[in-house]
Every structure is written in C-alpha cells, then in structure tokens.
Amino acid sequence: MVSRVIPVDPFDLVIFGGTGDLARRKILPGLFRRFLAGQMPEDATIIGAARSEMDDDGYRIMVQEAIVEFGGEDAARKAELDGFLQCVRYVSIDAKGEGGWKELAALVNQSRITAFYFSVAPSLFGDLAERLHHHGIADTQSRIVVEKPFGRDLVSARELNAVLAQHFNETQIYRIDHYLGKETVQNLMAVRFGNILFEPLWNSQYVDHIQITVAETVGVGGRGEYYNRSGAMRDMVQNHLMQLLCLIAMEPPSRFDPDAVRDEKLKVIRALEPVDSHEIVRGQYEKTPTEPGFREDAGDPRSRTESFIALKCHISNWRWAGTPFYLRTGKKLRVRTSEIAVVFKDAPHMIFGQEEGRHRNILSIRLQPNEGMTLGVTIKEPGPGGMRLIDVPLDMSFADALGDDVDEAPDAYERLIMDVIRGNQTLFMRGDEVEAAWAWTDPIIEGWETRNEVPKPYDVGSNGPEDAAMLMHRDGRRWREIRE
Ligand code: NAD
C-alpha cells in the first residue's frame, strides 16, 4: 500500500518553551519525522523561543541532541537531519518582560502561515497572547496551540479561555489533547460512521456496557509536585478519557468538520449525569521495599491525591439510557495499555443450551500498544465432538492489515501539529467542551474533598485497588483483563 503524504503550505512555527521537556521529547522529533516523510516544506521555519540565552547554532545542537535521544532510528539519517536543522532558529525571550520580542517580530514571516505553540506553563498564556498582539507578531490568521492542563476547574478554565479570547478568535485556538491525534481514535470514527454494520447496534438496546481503560506502568516520577495538585481525575479523566467517551457515545455528526464533530461531543458531555460517591474508587500506589509510593513521589506524606480512579457514569439520552460507562486509569499498574471495549449484550436466546455458557461480542479498540481493533465473535470449535462454542477475535490490527504504512503513520503530536498548519480544528477541543467537562468534574472532586476522603492503597504492579473490581462485580460485570 502506498501512503499518501500531502505536503503542507510553507509556515513559521514558533515554539514557546522550545527548550522544555515536551518540545524535546515530542514536538521537535515529531516535526523531524514529518520532514522525513516529505510533509514539511524545506522552507518552513521552526523558531524555538525560551528563556535560555543561546544562538541559532546552540539551539540546533540542542534540537539535534533531542532528536538523537527521543527520535529513535530517524536520528541516523544524518543528511536529512542537517537539512531539518537548517529550518531551525532560536530567540531568547521573556514571556513576562520585553526581552526578545522585537527579535521574534523580525524573524516571523507574516506573509505565510504562522503558528505559535504555547509549550509553557498555563500561567504564561496570557502574557504570550498579549505580547504577540502588542508586537504585531500574530494576526487574525495566526494559530495558537495550547497544552494541557487547560485549567484545574471550571473557574480557571473560564479564565484561560477569557485571556486567550482577548486576542484570538476561537477558530485560531488549538487546545491539544494528544489522545485525539492517535490513529485508532480517528479510525474509531471511520469504523462507526463509514460502515453500516455497527451503527444499528450502537445503543443501549444492544450494548451492555462500555469500558475505557488507560493503564500506565510509570509512576508520577519527577512530576510529583504537579501531580499531587492534580490527580488522576484532573490529569486524565477530565480530558483524555472524556474525549474517548465522547467519540464512542456521540451522535453521527452531519459532516466531518470541526464544529459538527465538536457540537456532538459537547452534547455528550452535557448529557453526563452527576456521579454518586459510591460509584467512584480512588487509589494511591503504595511504597514497596524497593520503590517509592505515591506519597514519597509527591513529597507529601499526607497526600490524599489519587493516582488511580475508577468510576461508573451514565449518559442521559435516548441512545445510552441504561448502558453504563466504566472508566479507569492509574499509574504503576501491571501493564501499560489503553483500550476502549464495547461489550454487546447476550444473544436473546441460546439455541445451543445453557452448558455452552455466555458468549458475548466485544469490540476492543486498542490505543496502545499495538493500535488496532478486534471484534470478538463466537464460532464453533473446529473438529469433532459436537457443537462446542469458542470466542475468536476478528483482528483488525493495523500492523497486519497495513504493513509498513503503520510504521510511517505519524504519531499523535506530528499529526496534530500538521493539522494546525492545515487549519483543521476537528481533533482539538473547543473552549465550551473543556468548560463543560470541568462542569461535570468539579462536583465530583468537591465531593471527595469535602468528605476528606483518603484514597485506597494499591500495590505497584497490580490492577489497582480491590474496590475497583467490586465496582463492576456489584453490577454482575467484570473489568477486562489488563493485557499488553
Ligand atoms: P519545562 O519546564 O520542561 O519547560 C518550560 C519551558 O518554558 C522552557 O523552555 C522554559 O525556558 C520556558 N519558559 C519558562 N518561563 C518562561 C518565561 N518567563 N519566558 C519564556 N519562556 C519561559 O515544561 P514542559 O514539561 O516542556 O511543559 C510545557 C507545557 O506543556 C506545560 O504546560 C505542561 O503542563 C505541558 N505538558 C507537558 C508534557 C510533558 O510531557 N512534558 C505533557 C503534556 C503537557
């Protein structure tokens, strides 16, 4: 299969925070991969802008080192890497002062597409927006990209939206949720809305329940202080899991265009019912003889922040009334995996007898590792011995079906940055979506804060606290095994 790479128009991309962790690990290696794929024009300019004092050559060395460290095998393509580095410039800038802004204004070519990636703390968003405007560097065609966390509650998210709205229209603001950039997530929309097969079954009449799991093996590492103020609900559920839930649950948009898709996602968030406290399990990983626990990682011996959460929620609309959605995510779990599982109901009548037990169709959508989809179907076990039933996967693993094209597929960040340059907001969160998500999350968090609730301890390398299993058992269901 031949992959089609359509080059984007020439652009200037300014990365505020261009020396930071995110720029080095994701943004710069991602841009290099798009350069290798022939998608980035050779006369594009990438301008790193950060506090450190250095010149273009100093920054090029840093970019090269970042690509060597985080870019995998790509870094070995020396000639191309040199070509890429020629596109790279640097300005030392102070987001809160006047230093560097005139130099930046002189570098940015406004006759072409201009994009500004705010890869800095959200407390600097307002300063950057204001100075871009004041120095005439951004205009009504420019795009700005903002990272999570987008606020820590509804009030702060509204404030951030208001700060950005002073100088930019909503059509210029790209709020990144890198889960939306994943190949499988977009494929989920293709499978749902490109086939007639699934849509008639995609409702509470045929779907028993839906599970969304994002399990990580890493702890909070060096981000302990930030994470202690955030927790799994704010860091993962309010954004990533909520976005996945929206794509699974939304009505078919009339067109695949940004506002049509985002209108439907917003309706899902607004239809979410408040969650009862007994339908939430929060957990914290405990220290082992060899590894620190969450409280040690967070540097807070009395921390009540959750590193794990499982909850059950309902969407109050005609399609989903009666079908629960179970969400769970946590750190230091047994394996790293992200999966959405659509568990269909039993066949209405089993002609093969009770002894054949329960066989259910499950559509599993894996986001990582091994992106792909599997549909579990029931068939006869081959061979003699009568009618015995087994479940087998109808495997739609991309690696098998698409071969080398999978390796060449852009990762989430690359795809999203190219979407910014193309001016396509479909896979970015709109301001009202983010606010609606906080409006649902805030009372849940306030609930456990008011009750002074202590998270349940769980072992490193486990599936989370026992109570999370109970959340499902109570309903006669169980979590899917967390598998790699
Ligand atoms: P970082 O601390 O590693 O880097 C911060 C960058 O901001 C540096 O380049 C620094 O020079 C620059 N900076 C700080 N103050 C400045 C100022 N006054 N003027 C100009 N530049 C200034 O941070 P990071 O980990 O790269 O994160 C950047 C943003 O991305 C944060 O909002 C973070 O929440 C978000 N984010 C990061 C990750 C990640 O994996 N690192 C993941 C998701 C979201």
Side-chain angles (χ1 to χ4, degrees):
M1 204 176 298
V2 180
S3 51
R4 286 174 297 156
V5 173
I6 303 165
V8 296
D9 292 333
F11 62 87
D12 281 10
L13 170 68
V14 177
I15 309 172
F16 291 109
T19 58
D21 179 65
L22 183 67
R24 290 173 53 257
R25 274 194 312 115
K26 292 288 179 187
I27 304 172
L28 293 162
L31 284 165
F32 179 47
R33 253 171 72 93
R34 290 299 88 208
F35 182 85
L36 289 177
Q39 197 166 24
M40 197 179 120
E42 291 197 0
D43 59 345
T45 309
I46 297 161
I47 304 166
R51 257 191 316 205
S52 317
E53 291 289 340
M54 63 176 120
D55 59 12
D56 288 343
D57 285 338
Y59 188 57
R60 287 181 183 131
I61 292 170
M62 198 219 80
V63 173
Q64 181 169 6
E65 285 170 357
I67 290 171
V68 168
E69 189 172 354
F70 301 109
E73 292 165 8
D74 295 338
R77 295 170 66 172
K78 186 77 183 78
E80 286 102 330
L81 183 52
D82 287 345
F84 176 74
L85 293 174
Q86 289 316 305
C87 303
V88 172
R89 308 291 303 270
Y90 183 77
V91 181
S92 167
I93 210 154
D94 179 6
K96 288 185 160 302
E98 290 315 307
W101 288 94
K102 288 207 175 81
E103 292 78 355
L104 183 63
L107 264 184
V108 173
N109 177 353
Q110 284 188 341
S111 65
R112 46 196 212 164
I113 297 167
T114 51
F116 302 91
Y117 200 130
F118 290 9
S119 182
V120 294
S123 56
L124 296 178
F125 289 179
D127 294 298
L128 292 178
E130 160 67 27
R131 282 175 175 76
L132 281 173
H133 176 77
H134 177 77
H135 291 273
I137 303 171
D139 59 25
T140 53
Q141 300 305 310
S142 304
R143 288 133 211 193
I144 59 165
V145 185
V146 294
E147 269 295 338
K148 81 166 197 183
F150 200 84
R152 55 172 280 109
D153 52 21
L154 178 58
V155 171
S156 52
R158 275 193 180 139
E159 279 167 11
L160 277 181
N161 276 334
V163 156
L164 297 177
Q166 280 177 16
H167 302 296
F168 297 93
N169 298 321
E170 184 60 37
T171 52
Q172 298 180 271
I173 303 170
Y174 292 71
R175 294 175 194 79
I176 278 210
D177 184 323
H178 68 273
Y179 271 63
L180 292 183
K182 288 180 184 287
E183 185 72 22
T184 323
V185 169
Q186 291 162 73
N187 211 8
L188 170 60
M189 285 191 274
V191 165
R192 272 197 71 190
F193 305 128
N195 298 285
I196 196 155
L197 206 59
F198 295 105
E199 198 49 30
L201 304 179
W202 211 262
N203 56 56
S204 58
Q205 196 182 341
Y206 296 104
V207 177
D208 179 74
H209 72 279
I210 289 172
Q211 301 185 17
I212 303 178
T213 297
V214 177
E216 298 178 285
T217 48
V218 292
V220 294
R223 295 168 66 227
E225 199 185 317
Y226 155 76
Y227 199 93
N228 197 30
R229 280 182 275 115
S230 158
M233 187 71 170
R234 288 190 169 98
D235 192 55
M236 296 296 292
V237 177
Q238 185 273 345
N239 39 49
H240 306 316
L241 276 79
M242 181 84 89
Q243 288 295 318
L244 300 180
L245 179 136
C246 285
L247 295 176
I248 280 281
M250 71 183 184
E251 296 300 314
S254 55
R255 294 171 309 282
F256 189 59
D257 83 15
D259 276 331
V261 171
R262 297 185 300 177
D263 286 347
E264 296 306 335
K265 282 162 54 193
L266 179 61
K267 285 187 213 161
V268 173
I269 303 174
R270 289 191 172 152
L272 276 168
E273 286 179 16
V275 182
D276 275 357
S277 59
H278 73 276
E279 291 182 331
I280 304 173
V281 176
R282 297 165 67 236
Q284 231 181 31
Y285 58 85
E286 284 218 291
K287 72 172 177 193
T288 68
T290 51
E291 282 188 66
F294 177 79
R295 291 176 170 194
E296 288 73 31
D297 280 342
D300 177 359
R302 287 210 290 259
S303 170
R304 295 188 168 182
T305 305
E306 75 285 355
S307 59
F308 174 98
I309 187 162
L311 62 85
K312 173 178 159 188
C313 58
H314 290 277
I315 298 172
S316 295
N317 63 20
W318 275 45
R319 184 187 286 266
W320 294 117
T323 295
F325 286 68
Y326 298 90
L327 277 45
R328 69 177 160 165
T329 181
K331 297 203 174 287
K332 290 249 179 174
L333 298 178
R334 199 159 55 76
V335 289
R336 171 175 174 261
T337 188
S338 300
E339 186 204 55
I340 306 168
V342 181
V343 181
F344 290 93
K345 289 187 174 171
D346 294 343
H349 168 64
M350 210 36 177
I351 65 170
F352 306 106
Q354 290 304 321
E355 63 276 15
E356 276 311 318
R358 178 184 264 188
H359 293 273
R360 281 190 157 176
N361 299 118
I362 298 176
L363 178 67
S364 154
I365 301 141
R366 282 189 315 279
L367 279 77
Q368 62 191 22
N370 311 323
E371 286 194 52
M373 296 194 197
T374 314
L375 178 64
V377 289
T378 303
I379 61 162
K380 175 188 170 298
E381 194 176 312
M387 185 59 98
R388 289 193 313 273
L389 303 183
I390 52 166
D391 294 332
V392 292
L394 260 184
D395 207 330
M396 298 177 265
S397 289
F398 302 150
D400 296 342
L402 304 178
D404 292 345
D405 279 3
V406 169
D407 298 334
E408 287 161 20
D411 93 350
Y413 271 94
E414 295 165 38
R415 179 191 314 274
L416 293 173
I417 296 170
M418 289 299 115
D419 277 358
V420 172
I421 305 301
R422 278 190 288 250
N424 184 348
Q425 288 186 303
T426 309
L427 300 175
F428 296 84
M429 294 178 295
R430 213 168 47 190
D432 51 3
E433 258 185 273
V434 179
E435 289 185 13
W438 281 121
W440 178 74
T441 318
D442 275 3
I444 301 175
I445 297 174
E446 278 160 24
W448 70 58
E449 283 179 352
T450 312
R451 293 187 299 276
N452 232 344
E453 220 173 75
V454 181
K456 309 269 189 268
Y458 64 92
D459 292 339
V460 168
S462 69
N463 289 341
E466 277 296 305
D467 289 24
M470 286 308 299
L471 187 72
M472 286 286 238
H473 286 175
R474 280 204 306 254
D475 297 343
R477 301 182 173 106
R478 59 191 162 93
W479 291 106
R480 282 168 56 78
E481 197 185 325
I482 303 184
R483 269 193 305 226
E484 259 172 311

